[in-house]
Each structure stands twice: as structure tokens, then as C-alpha cells.
Amino acid sequence: MSRHWRTLMSTLRRLAGTPIATLITVSVIGIALSLPAGLYLLLSNLAQVSSSLEIQPQISLFLKLDAGRDAQRQIEQKLKSHGAIRTFRFVSREQALKELSASNGLGDLAAGLPNNPLPDAYILTAKGNDAALLDKLRLEVSQWPGVESAELDSAWARRLNALLELGQQLTLMLAVLLAFGLIAGMGNIIRLQILTRQEEIEVSKLVGATNRFIRLPFLYHGALQGLLGGLAAWGIIATSTQLLNISVTRLASLYGSTFRLGGLAMNDVAMLLGISAFLGWLGAYLAVSHFLRHFHLSHH
Amino acid sequence: MSRHWRTLMSTLRRLAGTPIATLITVSVIGIALSLPAGLYLLLSNLAQVSSSLEIQPQISLFLKLDAGRDAQRQIEQKLKSHGAIRTFRFVSREQALKELSASNGLGDLAAGLPNNPLPDAYILTAKGNDAALLDKLRLEVSQWPGVESAELDSAWARRLNALLELGQQLTLMLAVLLAFGLIAGMGNIIRLQILTRQEEIEVSKLVGATNRFIRLPFLYHGALQGLLGGLAAWGIIATSTQLLNISVTRLASLYGSTFRLGGLAMNDVAMLLGISAFLGWLGAYLAVSHFLRHFHLSHH
Amino acid sequence: MISLSQVSKRYPGGYEALKDISFTIEKGEMVFVTGHSGAGKSTLLNLIVAIEPPSSGSIIINGQNLSQLRPAAVPFLRRNFGLIFQDHKLLFDRSAFDNVMLPLEITGFDRAEAAKRVRAALDKVGLLEREKAMPIALSGGEQQRLCIARAIVHRPSILLADEPTGNLDSAYAGEILEMFKSFNQVGVTVVIVTHDEQLIERFGNRTLHFQHGRLAS
Amino acid sequence: MISLSQVSKRYPGGYEALKDISFTIEKGEMVFVTGHSGAGKSTLLNLIVAIEPPSSGSIIINGQNLSQLRPAAVPFLRRNFGLIFQDHKLLFDRSAFDNVMLPLEITGFDRAEAAKRVRAALDKVGLLEREKAMPIALSGGEQQRLCIARAIVHRPSILLADEPTGNLDSAYAGEILEMFKSFNQVGVTVVIVTHDEQLIERFGNRTLHFQHGRLAS
Ligand SMILES: Nc1ncnc2c1ncn2[C@@H]1O[C@H](COP(=O)(O)OP(=O)(O)OP(=O)(O)O)[C@@H](O)[C@H]1O
Ligand SMILES: Nc1ncnc2c1ncn2[C@@H]1O[C@H](COP(=O)(O)OP(=O)(O)OP(=O)(O)O)[C@@H](O)[C@H]1O
Ligand SMILES: [Mg+2]
Ligand SMILES: [Mg+2]
């Protein structure tokens, strides 16, 4: 126990004794860590945004222009009791015309038209995303009395999927690159640190130190370095989130939203620090063990 | 000259003598370099896409429903000769109805309508982006004979601008982080490499080596390491582009486009390699010079 | 205690540094090892403390055959030895005190008791007032004495010294050897490599003389 | 050639290693320096080759006052010296040949000519067949001889040797000193630090004797 305490203290002294080098190493680790962690944060923010949007494919159900109140009430009844339908929303012909002109920048189209050519409509979302199922549903509802036609906006869905796929692929690529870079980089730093302490290892072995004994200070060094790097990453992410929020809130306000990027939650921070300390420890363990396996007292 | 040649050779031998360490160092540098370089490539691809889109604010000029052929011809004449208008495009009422129904997933709306309620229109883009200027132009054209109204789709423009600003801010943040990380990381690697060769420096100084002489092998080491890192970055980017293109071409085909991500041009590659070699050289120069300034033969 | 039979050592390059060496050093004996430069004296010590494996033959230390020792047991074998190296092998990033502390630290010795022992060892070699000095601030002879202090601080049962007085004037050399002799008198086995013929004559102990890797009788 | 007047050296800790030292060694002289361990012998050499600055007093080498030397001129001063260090200071990551090559390399010497000189120097210390060996594969005495070869390869005008024979048996020590004497006879100034009284008696040169940092007459 007291050995652990003393090793921790001497490691802290060693880090504090070369403040600039420590600062550089820690910020390099911090930057490397902040990229995947920041990406994770961005993605979880995005997920929050997109879950508030309708990303499910929709079916538009157009009523006949001459469908009466009765037909409409019957259709609504059927929609309510249909097992495959998740939500539905009535769009009156007046509302549809307004939405159309607003979304196309065509000005107040309604005012300029002699009479509204659009039909009443229902917008449905189904339970489940399966394309075949959706098409079956579309066919079924299109044959109900009073219904002119039913359209599946599958083009939009396919586009969104392709876009999401691209985003995921990019994310995966980045994460793989950064994870590899991080482990290799940390291992490399510790490998070089071991080389600068090679004599210490040699002499310790000569006076009868076990491998466990030799490894301990390096493990503390690695874990502490990783932990400090994790703290740096936290700082970088917190600052970046603050800075980005200036633009994000402006953008959100244009959409009439008060959305702002959330920071890392406390358990995310704990996880970040835990992972970074562990990675430092692991890098040190691998580097020292590799060194000890290949180090012979007689031939350096 | 022969000294340079010999130093180069011995540096190559040193790198080849520890292949795993070299590989790790080089891939770390390569990954660090590939992020800003990849970002640059992505941005330049985006710029290419967006320049092929109309990102300029547009003015929609709606003609009166009863405007005759003559009035239309006169308006077209005026548009052609107007100094503030960059492009204009005629959208007939039939075409407008088709575009509307297509872009809203409403099915063949045209077929279901008794008669087309939409007016003929011109879509204008102005020379310059200034909001006040655009509004002045809108007012002017709205008062021409035969014109019902003119609308400026400024909401869309403001949204796009806010989005672009966010993207730029993110890019800047990443670039600053990575540039700092890269220089610090390279300097750190070389600093540690110097520490492992401290004795060589000490003995060289004792037998009368100048600082120039001592620096040379480290400069070669740094530059070579940087160059190899640049090559690694090139490889990473080329591979990523290939992989991403699978999704990108699928996405593009949905929009009826044959767009695909371009790779790095030859002069971009030359620039990448030059910058990486220079950064390696610079990191080595800074690290050795700092070391030599603070290194005294008597107290290590 | 230390027993070699038909031991040879051929280095990777092919050079045979030791050829067919057999001898026994009893517990509590004090022995000198001499020979010209390159005769194989340091190689012999390296074999005894398991830094190098012999090419053939067997080495038995305190009844343990080194060739049958598991790698994990080697550190515990080494703790029986006090080693004084020809090239000192001091750590230049820690004080004289901490250098001498090292052998006690690795065994998890009680800290206060250890500090007492370290000071006693430093006192024996005349370096007590230099305990805070870094090795770089010590003269060549002082470094050699520091190395001796580190070798005796954990009261080893076998003391192996490779040219312990090479950098010391004859007055100090005499003192150090008297100290070794007093250790020997309380039961420590002592093996001293030296080329100082005068010292050997003065002490008159058994001498193993090496010539081109062979034991001359 | 080497002239000190009223030189003192106080180390950062406050210890005064040299006190008010004045002497002159003429060009072509051969001088021994002796004294107990810690007397200040190595410190003296460090001052002469500008590894340490003196605390007071002036040192003149070949007519140059060291305190007036620009830092950039120090390397060129050092090229006049052949240095043999008490702790060898060999580079363990390159062969014996490359170690001896170093002083020629830094002056941009012609490669083929340099190789000839290196082999000649290795031959003088009896290590010609070991030119490809790494220093770790050399015995203590062989390392010391390698250090001597490195010190003489560039034909320095001043040879400074700190315990050059500490690890050598008397036969080799005699040979090495004969070699130094032959250098001296062709005009090289030679300064040898040693605690070997026998050698000094045998050669009978001028001797500077140090005691606790003072020059005893
Ligand atoms: N690792 C090695 N590889 C190859 N040869 C070696 C190695 N170590 C030592 N030798 C050679 O073995 C011989 C004996 O070396 P050793 O160090 O035992 O000599 P020594 O008797 O201690 O000499 P000295 O008095 O000079 O220290 C020497 O010629 C040396 O060059
Ligand atoms: N860098 C330093 N800082 C503080 N004290 C030092 C330093 N270098 C040497 N000393 C002290 O100065 C004194 C003289 O040291 P020096 O190395 O000159 O002795 P020496 O005569 O060469 O002895 P030896 O024969 O043991 O090599 C010693 O007591 C030593 O501890
Ligand atoms: Mg030896
Ligand atoms: Mg000395």
C-alpha cells in the first residue's frame, strides 16, 4: 500500500518536474480523445433533433373532391381502428394550399387563385418501416370509398436513408482511425518514455527487482497521463460546445426552436475519464511488457 | 554533401531498424495529418456541389393570370437588359404545377385538378447578395406592367447562411485543434527521441562537434518521419475516398446525378508531402534547439 | 555455495570467453580473481548472477542449479548477492541516498528501518554528508564507493566485486578491502576481481587466475 | 600552452572543489596529476576543456583565454584535445570502429583516409580485430582502450587522460603509458591523472599533487 502511495507521489513529482513536456503530452492526448468524444456528443445531439422530426415514411391519402362529411368521418373511424397505422393527421384543403405556398417560396399563392384546386388529405405513418408492408397498406387504404388516391413518399425516405448511411460510414471511419491513432500514440509516448528510463530498469533488474515492481511506476505514469488527457478532452469539449452554441441557437431560432447543444452528462464525463485512464494504463502495460520481454541485461 | 548523404542513409537505417516503432509513429502522424487534409478535400468537394446548386437568393416574379404574350415578351426584354440581374429562367404555369406535385410527393396533382391555378413566373438571381439591394430589385420588378407580384425567398437564404456559418465554425475549430495537436505531437515525439540519444549528443559535444553537426541527423529524422507520415495520410485519404464513394454515388444517383468525390490532385499531394516533411523538420529543429540551449555537459 | 563444473561461455559472435571452468567457493570464503584484460573475469561474474546463461556446464548457487531456475525466480536469487560493477551502474536521476535505497525498496522493506541502514552503508564508504548529492556531482572514486554502499546495504550473503578499487587511491583501496574482510569475518562469501597484485599479496587469500578464458592453477 | 592563474571552482551546491590554483604546463611537456579521491583532479580537466567554467581566475589554452571565448568557438577549442574520460563515455549503439571514427567525422574528414587512421588507432590499443564489436561486447579494459583510441585518432596537440589505466592490468598499463610517452616525444602535450604511484615513479615526470582542492608543492 505505502509503495503504491509513494509511487503515485513520485510519478506526480516526475510529471510536475517537466511541466512543459507534461502539458504537451497531455494536450496531445486530450485532443486525440476529444475528437471521438465530441463526435459522440454531436451524434447524440443529432439523434435528439432527428427523433423530434418525422423521419418515418409517410402515406398521403387524398380524398375525392366531392367526398362528403360522412365519407370523411367513416375514413377517420377506419384509420383510428386500423392495427398497422401509428399516427394520422388531417390536412384540410385550405391548410394544404397554405403549406404549399409557404414551403415553395411562391408567396401567397392562395390569394391569387380563383378557387382551391387541392383535395382534403390525411397524412399517415405506419407501425414499422418495411417497404412491402407500407405498399400493402397504401393499396388497402386507396380502395376505401371516398378516397381518390394514396401516395407513398418513398423517394424522400430512400434519400434520407442514403444520407444517414453516408453519415454513419463517415463516423465509423473517423472512429476507427482515431481509436487506432489514440492507442498507437499513447503506446508510442510510453515506449519512448521507457527508453529514457532504460537504465533504471536495467539496474533494478540487477539488484533483484521483479517485473511487477518494475512495471508499477510506468502503469501509474500511463494511467495518470491518460486521466489528465481525459480532463483536457473534457475541457476542450466543454469550450467547443459553448462556442458552437452561439451559432446553433441562432440557427435554431430561425426555425422557431430554442434548441441548444447539450454538454456531456456527469456519467459521460466519468466514462470519458475512466476510459482515458484505462487507455493510458493499457498503453503503459503493453509497452512495458513488450520492453521487458525483449530486454536482456547483457545486450541492450 | 557526402555527409548529408551518409546522414540520410543512417537515418533510413535507424528507421528500418525499428520497423514497428517507425510504423506506429508514422501512422500516428499520418492519421493526424489525414484529418485536416481530408476535411480540406471534403470541403472542396462540397464547394463543387454547392456551386452547381443555386445557393443565391432568388426572386420569384409572378405574372398576372391574364397577362398576354406581349406583356410577357416585354418583361423578358427588360430582364435581359437589366444591369442588376444575373440570370433569369421562365417557368410556365404547366411546368410549375408539375414541379409542385413532384417536390411534395403529392402524386400527379395536375391530373386531378379541373384547371391549373398557377400563374406563369420568372425566377431571377441578382448580381450580388446584399439584402437591401435585393429588396430594391424586388420592389422595382413587382411594379412592371403585367406583373402580379414578386417574392424574395429570403428565409431560405438566411437558413442556408446560418448553416454554412455553423459548418465553417466547426471546421475552424477542428483545424485549430488538429494543427496544434500535430505540431505538439511531432515535437513531443522528437523530444523523446532526443532524450534517447542524449549520450550521443553529449559525447559529440565533448569531442568538439558544433551544434550544426549535432542537429543534422535529427533534422533528417524529423523530415523523413514527416514525409512518411504524409505518405500515410495520402493513403488513408485515398482509401477513405474510395470507401465513401460507394455511398456517395448511390446517393447521387437518387438525385439523378453522376457526382462522385474527387481524390487529391497531384499538386495537392505534393503540397501535403511538402507540408508534412516541413512540419517534421520544424518540430525536430525546435526540439533539438531547445534541448541544446538547456543541455549542459556538466549537469544532465 | 558457488560451484561451477565444466562451464564454458561462447558469445553470440562466436568468441569463447570461458573454457571448461570448474571450481568451488565455500560458504564464508574470500577469493580473489585475477587475469589480464579480456581474460573472462567479468564474464564469470555475469554467469554467477544469471545475467548470461552458460553455453555448457552447470552452475550451482546456494544449492540451486541456475539452469533449472524459472525466470520468475531469478530476481529472488539476485537478492542474495551484493554486486559491485566495473562500470558502477548508478542511476543519475536520483540522489546518492535513493541509489543506495533501491535494493531495500524492491523487497518492500520498512521505510524508517531502511533509511537507517542506508545511512549506515553511506557512512561506511565515507559518503554520509553527500547523501543528497546526485551521482553526477560525485567524483569517480566517490561513485565507486557509492556503488559499494549499494552492494552492502541489504546485507547480502555473497558479495561480488568487479574491480572495486580501480578508481581509488591506495589508501582508500586498503580501507575498502579491510571492510570486505570484516564482512567476510561475519560469514559473507566474498569474491573480488582485481588486477592490483599488491592488494592480493597483502591479503594472501586464495586466488583464481584466468588466462584467455582458462583457469590457470 | 596550458596556463591557470588563481583559478577557483565552487560547485552550485557551495562545495569548493578547487582553490586558488596556478600553474603552467608548457607545450610538449608530460605531466602527472595525482591526489586522493575527491581532490579535484577531474574538476581540473573539466575546467581546461571548458565543460565547466571556473568561479574565478583565468585559464589560457594555446594563447586563448577561455573566459573570452564565444560559445560557438568552444567546439573548435575542443578539437585540440584528446580526451580520455574516467567513465569512458562510449556510445553503445555503434561499433568500436564508429566510436573511434566520431572525432574525424565531426571535422568532415575524408572518409577513406579517416578509415585508415581509425584502424591505426585501434591497432595501437590492440583492438584491431574487434573493430566491428559493439562496446557492450567489450571487457572493461577493452572499453578503456577503445576510449584511448578515440582520443588519439585525430592527432590532438594536447592529450588529457583521466585514470586511463584504472581498469588495466600492470602489463597493459605500462604499454599504454609507453605509448603516451612516444606521443609526447613527437610534441604532444600530455596530462595524465592517476593514483598509481608506481607508474609515476617509473616515469619520473613532473607531478601536480592535489589535496582537498589545493595544489600541494
Ligand atoms: N557480450 C559479448 N559479446 C561478445 N564478446 C564479449 C561479450 N562480452 C565480453 N566479450 C568478450 O569476452 C572476453 C572476456 O570479457 P570479460 O569482460 O569477461 O573480460 P575481463 O576479464 O573482465 O576483462 P577486463 O579486466 O578488461 O574487464 C573479452 O574479449 C570480451 O571482448
Ligand atoms: N557537479 C558537481 N557538483 C557538486 N560537487 C561536485 C560536482 N562535481 C564534483 N564535485 C565534488 O567536487 C570534488 C572534486 O571532484 P573531482 O571529480 O574533481 O574529484 P577527483 O579528484 O577526480 O576524484 P576521483 O579520483 O575520485 O575521481 C568531489 O568532492 C566531488 O564530490
Ligand atoms: Mg571486466
Ligand atoms: Mg575523477
Side-chain angles (χ1 to χ4, degrees):
Chain A
M1 195 54 235
S2 85
R3 158 132 165 89
H4 282 265
W5 179 248
R6 253 180 296 127
T7 308
L8 179 64
M9 283 298 122
S10 75
T11 306
L12 280 174
R13 239 176 290 123
R14 186 178 285 272
L15 288 173
T18 53
I20 296 176
T22 302
L23 201 73
I24 290 179
T25 308
V26 164
S27 18
V28 170
I29 296 173
I31 290 171
L33 275 170
S34 71
L35 290 172
L39 205 66
Y40 161 79
L41 186 64
L42 219 64
L43 282 180
S44 69
N45 270 300
L46 264 182
Q48 198 188 320
V49 172
S50 71
S51 78
S52 75
L53 298 173
E54 302 273 348
I55 57 156
Q56 256 205 314
Q58 299 178 338
I59 295 174
S60 304
L61 189 70
F62 299 106
L63 304 192
K64 290 210 172 83
L65 278 175
D66 55 1
R69 281 249 140 220
D70 265 10
Q72 191 199 323
R73 219 169 297 134
Q74 270 180 20
I75 289 171
E76 191 150 338
Q77 208 55 46
K78 279 187 188 160
L79 289 173
K80 254 184 204 145
S81 57
H82 199 288
I85 290 172
R86 197 163 65 93
T87 66
F88 64 94
R89 171 165 73 91
F90 180 66
V91 182
S92 72
R93 43 203 309 245
E94 296 79 26
Q95 204 181 333
L97 189 65
K98 249 192 256 160
E99 277 184 18
L100 251 182
S101 36
S103 74
N104 286 279
L106 287 173
D108 198 355
L109 197 66
L113 290 175
N115 57 352
N116 186 349
L118 297 172
D120 286 332
Y122 282 95
I123 312 291
L124 323 178
T125 62
K127 288 175 181 154
N129 259 329
D130 184 53
L133 208 125
L134 282 168
D135 213 52
K136 209 178 124 237
L137 184 63
R138 186 195 64 80
L139 203 71
E140 181 188 342
V141 297
S142 71
Q143 282 156 1
W144 288 350
V147 171
E148 170 75 43
S149 69
E151 298 292 332
L152 186 63
D153 54 351
S154 54
W156 157 246
R158 267 187 291 135
R159 281 171 194 182
L160 188 70
N161 273 339
L163 210 63
L164 277 180
E165 199 177 303
L166 183 64
Q168 277 169 359
Q169 211 168 340
L170 216 112
T171 305
L172 191 72
M173 219 169 253
L174 255 178
V176 167
L177 264 183
L178 289 171
F180 178 75
L182 196 64
I183 291 171
M186 274 210 173
N188 196 38
I189 287 174
I190 289 156
R191 185 185 65 83
L192 286 167
Q193 280 166 347
I194 290 170
L195 282 182
T196 67
R197 290 171 75 179
Q198 190 164 339
E199 290 207 325
E200 183 178 336
I201 295 179
E202 184 190 350
V203 173
S204 300
K205 285 200 105 171
L206 285 174
V207 299
T210 56
N211 284 350
R212 249 176 84 90
F213 180 92
I214 290 169
R215 226 178 266 137
L216 196 67
F218 290 103
L219 298 184
Y220 268 95
H221 196 145
L224 223 72
Q225 216 163 240
L227 188 69
L228 290 176
L231 286 172
W234 183 18
I236 290 170
I237 290 174
T239 314
S240 309
T241 314
Q242 272 333 88
L243 289 176
L244 281 178
N245 257 336
I246 299 170
S247 303
V248 167
T249 49
R250 190 179 315 143
L251 186 63
S253 75
L254 288 176
Y255 283 96
S257 153
T258 59
F259 176 80
R260 47 184 294 128
L261 293 174
L264 286 174
M266 259 311 145
N267 58 342
D268 288 336
V269 173
M271 182 116 120
L272 174 66
L273 297 183
I275 287 179
S276 61
F278 174 74
L279 279 180
W281 180 90
L282 186 70
Y285 189 89
L286 292 176
V288 187
S289 299
H290 179 266
F291 181 84
L292 285 175
R293 251 197 321 282
H294 292 86
F295 175 74
H296 295 291
L297 286 173
S298 43
H299 323 94
H300 298 239
Chain B
M1 194 57 235
S2 85
R3 157 131 166 88
H4 282 265
W5 179 249
R6 252 180 296 128
T7 308
L8 179 64
M9 283 298 121
S10 73
T11 306
L12 281 174
R13 239 176 290 123
R14 186 178 285 272
L15 288 173
T18 52
I20 295 176
T22 302
L23 201 73
I24 289 179
T25 308
V26 164
S27 19
V28 170
I29 295 173
I31 290 171
L33 274 170
S34 70
L35 290 173
L39 206 65
Y40 161 80
L41 186 64
L42 219 63
L43 282 180
S44 70
N45 270 300
L46 264 182
Q48 198 189 320
V49 171
S50 71
S51 79
S52 76
L53 299 172
E54 304 273 347
I55 56 153
Q56 257 204 314
Q58 299 178 338
I59 295 173
S60 304
L61 189 70
F62 298 106
L63 304 193
K64 290 209 172 87
L65 280 173
D66 57 2
R69 281 251 140 220
D70 264 10
Q72 191 199 326
R73 218 171 298 134
Q74 269 181 16
I75 288 170
E76 191 149 339
Q77 207 57 45
K78 278 187 188 162
L79 288 173
K80 254 181 202 149
S81 57
H82 199 290
I85 291 172
R86 199 164 61 93
T87 66
F88 65 93
R89 171 166 73 91
F90 180 67
V91 182
S92 71
R93 41 204 311 243
E94 294 79 28
Q95 204 180 331
L97 190 64
K98 247 190 258 163
E99 277 184 17
L100 252 183
S101 37
S103 73
N104 285 281
L106 290 172
D108 198 353
L109 197 68
L113 289 177
N115 58 351
N116 185 350
L118 296 172
D120 285 334
Y122 282 97
I123 311 292
L124 321 178
T125 62
K127 288 173 179 154
N129 259 332
D130 184 52
L133 208 124
L134 284 167
D135 212 53
K136 210 179 123 237
L137 183 63
R138 186 194 64 78
L139 202 72
E140 181 190 341
V141 297
S142 71
Q143 282 156 1
W144 288 351
V147 170
E148 170 76 42
S149 69
E151 300 290 334
L152 186 63
D153 52 353
S154 54
W156 158 245
R158 268 187 291 133
R159 281 170 194 183
L160 188 71
N161 272 338
L163 210 63
L164 278 180
E165 199 177 304
L166 184 63
Q168 276 168 0
Q169 212 168 341
L170 216 111
T171 305
L172 191 72
M173 219 169 255
L174 256 178
V176 167
L177 264 183
L178 289 170
F180 178 75
L182 195 64
I183 291 172
M186 273 208 171
N188 195 39
I189 287 174
I190 290 157
R191 185 184 66 83
L192 286 167
Q193 281 167 347
I194 290 170
L195 282 182
T196 66
R197 291 172 74 180
Q198 191 165 339
E199 291 207 324
E200 184 178 335
I201 295 179
E202 184 191 350
V203 174
S204 299
K205 285 200 105 171
L206 285 175
V207 299
T210 56
N211 283 351
R212 249 177 84 90
F213 180 92
I214 289 169
R215 225 178 267 139
L216 195 67
F218 291 102
L219 298 183
Y220 268 95
H221 196 146
L224 223 73
Q225 216 164 241
L227 188 70
L228 291 175
L231 286 171
W234 184 18
I236 289 170
I237 290 174
T239 315
S240 310
T241 313
Q242 274 328 92
L243 289 177
L244 281 178
N245 257 335
I246 299 169
S247 303
V248 167
T249 49
R250 190 180 314 142
L251 185 64
S253 74
L254 288 176
Y255 284 96
S257 154
T258 60
F259 175 80
R260 47 184 293 129
L261 293 174
L264 285 173
M266 259 311 145
N267 56 342
D268 288 336
V269 173
M271 181 117 118
L272 174 65
L273 296 184
I275 287 178
S276 60
F278 174 74
L279 279 180
W281 181 90
L282 185 70
Y285 189 89
L286 291 177
V288 188
S289 297
H290 179 267
F291 182 82
L292 286 176
R293 250 195 323 281
H294 292 86
F295 175 75
H296 295 291
L297 286 173
S298 41
H299 325 93
H300 298 237
Chain C
M1 188 105 239
I2 301 175
S3 171
L4 280 74
S5 73
Q6 298 182 302
V7 167
S8 296
K9 175 63 187 177
R10 185 186 295 277
Y11 278 112
Y15 183 80
E16 198 162 19
L18 289 178
K19 295 165 197 156
D20 195 24
I21 304 291
S22 302
F23 65 82
T24 299
I25 296 173
E26 298 300 334
K27 186 171 160 58
E29 220 184 330
M30 174 152 157
V31 171
F32 285 103
V33 176
T34 63
H36 60 88
S37 171
K41 307 181 294 294
S42 300
T43 300
L44 177 72
L45 297 191
N46 285 349
L47 294 185
I48 290 173
V49 299
I51 289 177
E52 294 272 2
S55 308
S56 65
S58 77
I59 302 172
I60 295 170
I61 308 289
N62 287 349
Q64 284 184 302
N65 191 327
L66 293 195
S67 61
Q68 287 159 15
L69 217 58
R70 287 175 306 112
V74 169
F76 300 96
L77 171 82
R78 293 219 180 104
R79 292 178 190 180
N80 295 315
F81 296 115
L83 297 175
I84 296 160
F85 302 96
Q86 204 168 2
D87 53 353
H88 309 349
K89 295 207 191 296
L90 296 170
L91 293 177
F92 282 81
D93 61 350
R94 55 186 75 186
S95 66
F97 183 93
D98 288 341
N99 265 285
V100 178
M101 180 61 98
L102 191 65
L104 299 178
E105 215 172 322
I106 61 166
T107 55
F109 219 83
D110 171 69
R111 199 70 187 165
E113 171 67 17
K116 261 186 236 157
R117 281 217 197 172
V118 169
R119 295 219 170 80
L122 284 171
D123 196 23
K124 273 215 178 84
V125 298
L127 285 177
L128 189 51
E129 330 86 89
R130 305 302 305 271
E131 68 169 55
K132 293 209 176 63
M134 298 307 248
I136 192 71
L138 297 178
S139 79
E142 286 164 348
Q143 290 182 11
Q144 200 159 39
R145 285 180 274 149
L146 186 60
C147 186
I148 293 171
R150 186 182 60 190
I152 59 174
V153 71
H154 60 301
R155 297 183 192 155
S157 63
I158 306 173
L159 193 67
L160 301 174
D162 202 347
E163 303 274 13
T165 59
N167 279 320
L168 295 179
D169 48 299
S170 54
Y172 249 122
E175 267 180 53
I176 295 286
L177 271 165
E178 287 298 342
M179 189 172 80
F180 287 175
K181 197 169 173 183
S182 71
F183 283 128
N184 178 241
Q185 278 158 357
V186 299
V188 177
T189 311
V190 179
V191 179
I192 301 169
V193 173
T194 185
H195 61 260
D196 190 336
E197 314 275 328
Q198 281 178 298
L199 273 186
I200 297 176
E201 272 168 40
R202 197 169 114 198
F203 284 82
N205 289 77
R206 175 151 82 109
T207 301
L208 299 170
H209 188 71
F210 282 81
Q211 244 171 347
H212 300 292
R214 287 192 193 281
L215 195 55
S217 46
Chain D
M1 189 106 238
I2 301 175
S3 172
L4 281 75
S5 72
Q6 298 182 301
V7 167
S8 297
K9 175 63 189 178
R10 185 186 294 277
Y11 278 111
Y15 184 80
E16 199 164 18
L18 289 178
K19 294 162 197 157
D20 194 23
I21 305 290
S22 303
F23 64 82
T24 299
I25 297 172
E26 298 299 334
K27 186 171 158 58
E29 220 183 330
M30 174 153 161
V31 172
F32 284 104
V33 176
T34 62
H36 60 88
S37 171
K41 309 181 293 294
S42 300
T43 300
L44 177 72
L45 298 191
N46 285 349
L47 294 184
I48 291 173
V49 299
I51 289 176
E52 294 272 3
S55 308
S56 65
S58 78
I59 302 172
I60 295 171
I61 309 288
N62 287 349
Q64 284 184 301
N65 190 327
L66 294 195
S67 61
Q68 287 159 15
L69 218 58
R70 287 175 306 112
V74 170
F76 300 96
L77 171 82
R78 294 218 179 104
R79 291 178 192 180
N80 295 313
F81 297 115
L83 298 175
I84 296 159
F85 302 97
Q86 204 168 359
D87 54 353
H88 308 352
K89 296 206 189 297
L90 297 170
L91 292 177
F92 282 81
D93 61 350
R94 54 186 74 185
S95 67
F97 183 92
D98 288 341
N99 265 285
V100 178
M101 179 62 97
L102 191 64
L104 299 178
E105 214 173 321
I106 61 165
T107 56
F109 219 83
D110 172 69
R111 200 69 188 167
E113 172 65 16
K116 262 186 235 158
R117 282 216 197 171
V118 170
R119 296 220 168 79
L122 284 171
D123 197 22
K124 274 214 177 84
V125 298
L127 286 176
L128 189 52
E129 330 87 89
R130 305 302 305 270
E131 68 168 54
K132 292 210 176 62
M134 298 307 247
I136 194 70
L138 297 178
S139 79
E142 286 164 349
Q143 289 182 10
Q144 201 158 39
R145 285 180 275 149
L146 186 60
C147 187
I148 294 170
R150 187 182 59 189
I152 60 174
V153 71
H154 59 301
R155 297 184 192 156
S157 62
I158 306 173
L159 194 67
L160 301 175
D162 201 347
E163 303 275 12
T165 59
N167 279 320
L168 295 178
D169 50 300
S170 54
Y172 249 121
E175 266 180 52
I176 294 286
L177 272 165
E178 288 297 342
M179 190 172 80
F180 287 175
K181 195 168 175 185
S182 71
F183 282 128
N184 179 242
Q185 277 158 358
V186 298
V188 176
T189 311
V190 180
V191 179
I192 302 169
V193 173
T194 185
H195 61 260
D196 191 336
E197 315 274 329
Q198 282 179 299
L199 273 186
I200 297 175
E201 273 169 38
R202 196 168 116 199
F203 283 82
N205 289 78
R206 175 151 83 108
T207 302
L208 299 171
H209 188 72
F210 283 80
Q211 243 170 348
H212 300 293
R214 287 191 191 281
L215 195 53
S217 47

